[in-house]
Structure formats: C-alpha cells, structure tokens
C-alpha cells in the first residue's frame, strides 16, 4: 500500500487550493474490469518506471467495482470521525461525496487554466518579480508551470459544493490516507467557512482607497492562512498513518523534525524543482513544509486547541509568523514599514505601477537565489519588515507592452540587528551583477553625520543606477533605475516621511504569495506537495 500511495500521491494533493468542483453531474461507479491490475506486483521494474507507467496510462488499470465504490463511500464517514477527533473540529453535517473519472479531473484542469483573468491580474506582479530578480528577465512563468504540471491533479474537497470527489481508478484501500487529509478540509469548512476565512486575510491586498480605516496594512495573512489550512490537514494525515502503531505527532515529540530533512531533500532533488526559480520552490513548498512545522510547534506548545481552533481564531499575520512560530505564539508586534507618498518628487515622469510587501519568505528566496543557501534561513530570520513601490515611466502608457527597463523601484527593509542589515545589503548589492547584463560599480560621495547612511553602494546598469544603503536604525534602502538626484530625494523622503502619507499602494500583500493567483501554480504546487508528503509517509513506516 505504501509504495503505491507514494507513487500516486501527486494526483491527490491539490485539495482546497484547486478551487471549484470538477463538473456538476455525479458519476456512477464504473463496472468492474476483467482483472485486478492493482494487485499483482510489477517485477523487474523500478519505482520510477512504475510511476511513469501509472501516470502515462492509468486508464488501463482496473476501475473500482460498484461494491468497492459503496465501501469507499461508507469509509468516508469513518475517516471523518477520525479527523474530527484528531483535530477537535466537530462534524456538523454529512460530507457529500462522489466518484470522478480521470477525464473529468483533466477537464477541470483545462477549464481552470483557460481563465484569462488570472493571468491579467498577475501581470504586474510578474513584471515586478523580474525587476527584483526573483524571476529571470525572459522567463515565461505561465508557460513554465503549465509544462511542469501533470495531466492529472487531484481528488479533492470543494468548499463551494461542500463535496469530496474520489478517484474511480484507484482501489478503495489506497485512498484512505488522502481522505484523512481532504476530509480535514471539509471539517475546517463546516466550522469556519474556508472561503470566507481565507478571503478575510486578503483585506490588505485591496487598493488603498478601498481599505477600511481600521485595516492593518501590515497584516498579510492570506498566504499564512493557507499554511494553517494545509498544515492542519497534514497533522491529521500523519496521525492517520501513525494510528495503527498507537502513535500521534503530539505523543511523539520531535518526529516532525526527523521527517523534515528527508522530505526537503526529496523535493530539492526532484526534476520538477531543479528547473524552477527559487521563488517557485519556496512558495510551492510553503503550505506543506512550513505549514506542517508551524502547526507542529503549536501542537507541542499549546496542544490541539492552539494548533487547530486557536489558529483559526487567531491566524498568523504573515509568512514571518509561520516561519518563526515563537513570534506568533508571543504575539510579536513589529513596527510598520511603509513608503510615503513621493509622487510630488516624481512629478509626471512616473506613475505608481505596483506595490506591496517583501516578506520573510520572499527574502529567503532572494537570499537562496543570490547568496549562500545554507545561511539564508539564519539571515532571513533577522527580517523585521519590508515594503516596496514600483513606478512606471509615463513615457509608456498603461496599455503598452512594458519591460523591466520601464520600471523603477523603491524598496525599504528593516532588520533585527546592524549585522543582519549589513549582510542583507551586501547580498543585495553583489546580486546586481547577476541580475543585469552590465553592472559597473560607481564611486559614492563621502558623507559623515547622523543624516548619512552607515554604508552605501552605487552600481550603474543598463536600466539605470542601483543604490543600496544601510542605515544606523537597521534599515536598508534600495533605489533601482531612478537617476542619482531623484534617488537622493526619495531616500530623504523615506527617512523623513510622514507615516500617514503613505504611497498609493495598489496592494500590500507579500509579493511571492501572489503566485497563488494562478490556477496553474496551484497544480504545480500540488505536485511539490506530493513529493513532500510522499517522504513524510515513508518516514512514518
């Protein structure tokens, strides 16, 4: 059972993130096939060969008999009861269920990928990611994730129809572990209305003029809430696998960390991630890996109440609180990092194009891309806040095809210590040579006094000057593609700016988390989750 499950897990993970249900008509159980292709071992073939064979032609396998389908449907109630007891979430209604075919699942994938509004909504964010260097300049994000995706994505719980969809080509006894995971989503939904709860974390992503005056602009919990949803489901998933041995994550301290290393190594070694930019790797694994570790820490420190109902009542506010659970547990309050309204300085030469936060997970991805990967986690943990505004040169209209040369950046980050600020400024400055075709260091005018930075670097590129300054209050200020005089005025405005006169931010969410706007990325992420969970399951055996 374990070997087959590890091979097939990738078609079962998408869960909540995949969106709406596959079609509307229920599917009758298929007639039994003439043989049981799933019972005989495939001798002489490696696991990789078996995996490729099953993924290429699962339709040739025996479909579930009507009796097996009935048994599987009945097992849903038993697994819901397990998930309810394990999570503490009461079962409030019967979970609707149905059997789906691979054809329907594949059609659902195509339907989701056809929704052009997702790509249009993401266009600004993708261009900003390229300007920052998160993505290569010529990288086609959507094309990459579409090619990386498998044809099959998931059997899943849908929070709109309140229905669990089961696969009709996988034997019933091999679906139980994933049902424990997916039915946890059903219980979350019954108790907290997942769709509304996730949207509640998107308030900071609204245009500035649309936000409530009481809104916390530094709260970017939309992405962090996803980690709660998936992390909890993984706790139940692992507890279900441990149940025959009388164990749980709660009564086996440290088990998560014993499982983490092989799981991470498996993900890093996969071809899927080998070709992906670091930002895709980090955002893809975040809900599964960091969500599990976050929930495990809450489970250890405060028991099931803190880990399950407590995380819904008080969700983490950003990726920092997920990556640093102690910050969440202690209700750490970081000072706001904002950028003032500088439009008067820019006059009519620039218009606000995009803005938001650069969170701890974004910083970690940047450090792993251009710095020492082994030291990235430690340095990123010194993050204390970050915000940016990207401006478009008005010589190009909003409808013109833009390149990174048409954008200029103003980025402010805050750090826990002068050492971490210095190290980040150094990594950012040295990365310029990798991000631009031409990068020539320039002399920086000498400066002394309280109004001068502790250190400064200026580099001339084909898209204009890049200035990186470290200040005594542990902030790092970056100006990219503004001329030197304008950059100086912008830095002065940030240093002296009125916090109430914020820039006209289009949104304030963490930049990398916007990848979740793409349905194709959700499917890409599901395959990453498969590899993480496959190793987690292997470790429990």
């Amino acid at each position: 059972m374990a070997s087959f499950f590890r091979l097939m897990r990738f078609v079962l993970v998408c869960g909540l993130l995949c969106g709406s249900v596959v079609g509307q008509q229920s599917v009758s159980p298929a007639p039994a096939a003439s043989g049981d292709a799933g019972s005989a071992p495939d001798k002489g073939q490696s696991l990789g060969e078996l995996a490729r064979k099953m993924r290429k032609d699962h339709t040739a396998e025996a479909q579930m008999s009507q009796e097996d389908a009935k048994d599987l449907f009945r097992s849903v109630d038993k697994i819901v009861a397990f998930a309810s007891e394990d999570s503490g979430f009461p079962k409030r209604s019967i979970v609707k269920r149905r059997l789906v075919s691979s054809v329907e699942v594949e059609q659902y994938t195509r339907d989701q990928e056809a929704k052009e509004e997702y790509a249009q909504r993401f266009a600004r964010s993708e261009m900003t990611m390229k300007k920052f260097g998160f993505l290569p300049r010529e990288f086609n994000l959507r094309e990459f994730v579409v090619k990386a995706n498998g044809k099959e994505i998931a059997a899943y719980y849908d929070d709109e129809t309140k229905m669990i969809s089961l696969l009709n080509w996988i034997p019933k006894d091999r679906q139980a572990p994933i049902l424990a995971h997916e039915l946890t989503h059903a219980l979350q939904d019954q108790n907290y209305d997942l769709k509304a709860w996730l949207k509640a974390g998107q308030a900071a992503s609204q245009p500035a003029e649309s936000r409530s005056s009481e809104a916390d602009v530094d709260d970017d919990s939309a992405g962090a809430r996803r980690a709660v949803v998936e992390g909890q489901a993984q706790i139940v998933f692992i507890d279900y696998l441990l149940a025959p041995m009388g164990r749980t994550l709660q009564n086996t301290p440290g088990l998560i960390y014993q499982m983490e290393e092989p799981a991470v190594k498996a993900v890093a070694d996969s071809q899927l991630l080998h070709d992906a930019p670091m930002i895709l790797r980090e955002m893809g694994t975040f809900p599964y890996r960091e969500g599990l570790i976050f929930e495990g820490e809450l489970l250890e420190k405060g028991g099931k109440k803190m880990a399950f109902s407590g995380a819904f009542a008080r969700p983490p506010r950003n990726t920092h609180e997920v990556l640093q659970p102690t910050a969440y547990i202690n209700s750490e309050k970081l000072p706001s990092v904002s950028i003032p309204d500088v439009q008067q300085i820019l006059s009519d030469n620039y218009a606000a194009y995009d803005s938001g936060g650069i969170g701890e997970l974004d910083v970690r991805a940047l450090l792993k891309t251009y710095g020492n990967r082994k030291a990235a986690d430690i340095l990123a943990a010194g993050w204390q806040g970050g915000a940016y505004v990207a401006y478009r040169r008005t010589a190009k209209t909003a409808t013109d095809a833009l390149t990174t040369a048409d954008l200029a950046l103003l980025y402010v980050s805050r750090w826990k210590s002068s050492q971490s600020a210095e190290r980040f400024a150094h990594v950012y400055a040295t990365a310029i040579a990798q991000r631009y075709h031409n990068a020539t260091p320039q002399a920086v005018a000498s400066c002394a006094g309280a109004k001068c930075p502790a250190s400064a670097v200026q580099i001339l590129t084909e898209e204009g000057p890049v200035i990186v300054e470290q200040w005594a209050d542990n902030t790092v200020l970056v100006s990219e593609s503004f001329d030197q005089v304008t950059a100086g005025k912008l830095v002065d405005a940030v240093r002296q700016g009125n916090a109430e006169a914020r820039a006209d931010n289009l949104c304030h969410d963490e930049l990398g988390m916007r990848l979740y706007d793409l349905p194709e990325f959700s499917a890409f992420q599901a395959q990453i989750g498969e590899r993480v969970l496959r190793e987690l399951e292997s470790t429990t055996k």
Side-chain angles (χ1 to χ4, degrees):
M1 173 178 175
S3 295
F4 186 95
F5 181 76
R6 286 195 294 271
L7 294 172
M8 292 302 294
R9 181 63 180 84
F10 84 105
V11 302
L12 302 169
V13 181
C14 187
L16 171 71
L17 299 182
C18 288
S20 60
V21 73
V22 184
Q24 297 297 322
Q25 301 298 320
S26 61
V27 181
S28 300
S34 57
D36 185 2
S39 60
D42 292 83
K43 296 181 179 179
Q45 298 185 60
S46 68
L47 290 181
E49 290 169 334
L50 288 173
R52 287 190 290 273
K53 178 181 177 182
M54 281 187 273
R55 293 175 185 181
K56 181 178 180 181
D57 191 21
H58 60 74
T59 57
E61 295 185 10
Q63 290 188 324
M64 218 179 289
S65 69
Q66 291 187 6
E67 190 58 37
D68 280 350
K70 291 178 181 178
D71 287 345
L72 178 61
F73 275 33
R74 285 192 290 267
S75 74
V76 169
D77 294 322
K78 294 179 181 179
I79 298 173
V80 167
F82 174 89
S84 177
E85 181 179 0
D86 199 52
S87 65
F89 294 144
K91 174 187 172 185
R92 301 190 181 278
S93 62
I94 298 295
V95 180
K96 294 183 292 183
R97 63 214 71 176
R98 69 175 192 154
L99 213 60
V100 296
S101 68
S102 61
V103 173
E104 290 175 291
V105 175
E106 291 174 12
Q107 181 59 50
Y108 166 75
T109 307
R110 290 192 292 270
D111 290 345
Q112 292 300 300
E113 291 176 356
K115 293 183 178 180
E116 289 298 327
E117 67 268 21
Y118 287 99
Q120 293 172 6
R121 184 170 62 190
F122 184 74
R124 289 175 185 254
S125 303
E126 182 176 5
M127 185 63 68
T128 302
M129 287 183 188
K130 291 179 178 179
K131 185 69 176 180
F132 267 110
F134 286 111
L135 297 173
R137 294 293 204 258
E138 304 304 320
F139 185 77
N140 188 320
L141 173 63
R142 200 173 188 206
E143 180 180 305
F144 176 85
V145 292
V146 168
K147 286 183 178 179
N149 287 339
K151 295 296 183 183
E152 309 136 287
I153 55 170
Y156 57 91
Y157 173 74
D158 176 63
D159 62 347
E160 291 187 358
T161 62
K162 316 300 180 186
M163 183 180 294
I164 186 80
S165 296
L166 312 172
L167 304 178
N168 75 347
W169 70 88
I170 295 181
K172 64 181 178 65
D173 61 335
R174 293 166 178 168
Q175 299 206 42
I178 184 58
L179 283 177
H181 181 280
E182 296 302 324
L183 290 170
T184 302
H185 292 326
L187 292 171
Q188 292 167 333
D189 193 29
Q190 288 183 8
N191 285 274
Y192 296 99
D193 187 351
L194 276 179
K195 190 173 183 179
W197 187 78
L198 285 168
K199 283 187 175 180
Q202 296 175 351
S205 302
Q206 298 173 355
E209 63 272 13
S210 302
R211 297 185 200 130
S212 165
S213 58
E214 291 82 18
D216 182 352
V217 297
D218 296 311
D219 181 347
D220 177 36
S221 63
R225 289 179 186 220
R226 294 175 186 266
V228 168
V229 169
E230 290 300 333
Q232 290 182 352
Q234 288 206 81
I235 294 285
V236 177
F237 165 78
I238 295 173
D239 281 353
Y240 187 87
L241 293 171
L242 293 173
M245 295 171 276
R247 298 164 60 197
T248 66
L249 284 177
Q250 190 172 19
N251 65 24
T252 314
L255 181 59
I256 287 179
Y257 292 99
Q258 295 174 27
M259 296 185 294
E260 178 193 6
E261 184 58 34
V264 173
K265 186 177 187 303
V267 173
D269 289 346
S270 69
Q271 189 63 37
L272 177 70
L273 288 186
H274 182 270
D275 298 331
M278 187 58 68
I279 190 72
L280 301 192
R281 306 186 204 185
E282 292 291 288
M283 299 303 159
T285 60
F286 177 71
Y288 303 103
R289 176 193 172 189
E290 275 71 29
L292 172 60
I293 294 173
F294 173 76
E295 284 294 321
E297 287 285 337
L298 301 194
L299 191 65
E300 181 179 340
K301 297 296 192 302
K304 289 187 176 181
K305 184 175 181 180
M306 176 183 282
F308 287 91
S309 61
F312 268 88
R314 184 173 71 89
R317 301 170 69 249
N318 45 44
T319 61
H320 170 68
E321 291 192 346
V322 176
L323 292 167
Q324 311 298 331
T326 301
Y328 168 83
I329 293 170
N330 295 337
S331 299
E332 176 187 74
K333 180 66 175 177
L334 296 177
S336 175
V337 175
S338 62
I339 295 177
D341 185 351
V342 295
Q343 195 59 57
Q344 186 174 1
I345 296 173
L346 300 176
S347 187
D348 296 329
N349 296 322
Y350 293 89
Y353 176 76
D354 180 37
S355 67
I358 299 295
E360 182 173 335
L361 190 59
D362 293 322
V363 163
R364 193 174 77 176
L366 201 66
L367 293 171
K368 287 184 177 181
T369 302
Y370 299 106
N372 185 323
R373 292 189 183 183
K374 292 183 179 180
D377 288 348
I378 297 174
L379 179 52
W383 175 95
Q384 296 283 280
Y388 75 89
V389 181
Y391 295 91
R392 171 182 59 82
R393 299 180 193 277
T394 52
K396 288 281 191 77
T397 67
T399 57
D400 286 339
L402 300 181
T403 69
T404 54
D406 298 312
L407 299 184
L409 285 177
L410 185 57
Y411 168 37
V412 182
S413 65
R414 180 176 289 116
W415 295 84
K416 188 176 296 185
S417 66
S418 60
Q419 291 80 8
S420 56
E422 180 182 9
R423 290 172 61 197
F424 177 73
H426 174 74
V427 173
Y428 198 99
T430 55
I432 299 303
Q434 298 177 60
R435 291 171 47 200
Y436 292 89
H437 294 300
N438 302 311
T440 306
Q442 304 289 297
V444 178
S446 60
C447 182
K451 294 185 177 181
C452 298
S455 67
V457 173
Q458 181 173 325
I459 302 170
L460 183 62
T461 76
E462 69 272 15
E463 295 182 8
V466 176
I467 300 173
V468 183
E469 297 182 347
Q470 176 204 349
W471 288 78
D473 59 357
N474 303 334
T475 59
V476 176
L477 272 63
V478 176
S479 164
E480 293 199 29
S481 301
F482 291 110
D483 64 82
Q484 190 171 2
V485 173
T486 301
K489 293 179 180 179
L490 294 176
V491 169
D492 288 343
V494 171
R495 299 295 302 170
Q496 303 170 12
N498 180 355
E500 299 301 319
R502 296 177 183 269
D504 184 19
N505 288 347
L506 305 177
C507 53
H508 200 81
D509 53 339
E510 295 181 29
L511 181 58
M513 284 295 165
R514 297 182 202 164
L515 287 166
Y516 295 154
D517 283 346
L518 292 175
E520 300 92 337
F521 184 79
S522 293
F524 173 82
Q525 183 183 66
Q527 295 183 76
I528 296 173
E530 172 267 328
R531 285 161 173 79
V532 173
L533 293 179
R534 179 176 60 191
E535 293 305 315
L536 293 178
E537 188 219 3
S538 175
T539 309
T540 64
K541 297 302 183 181

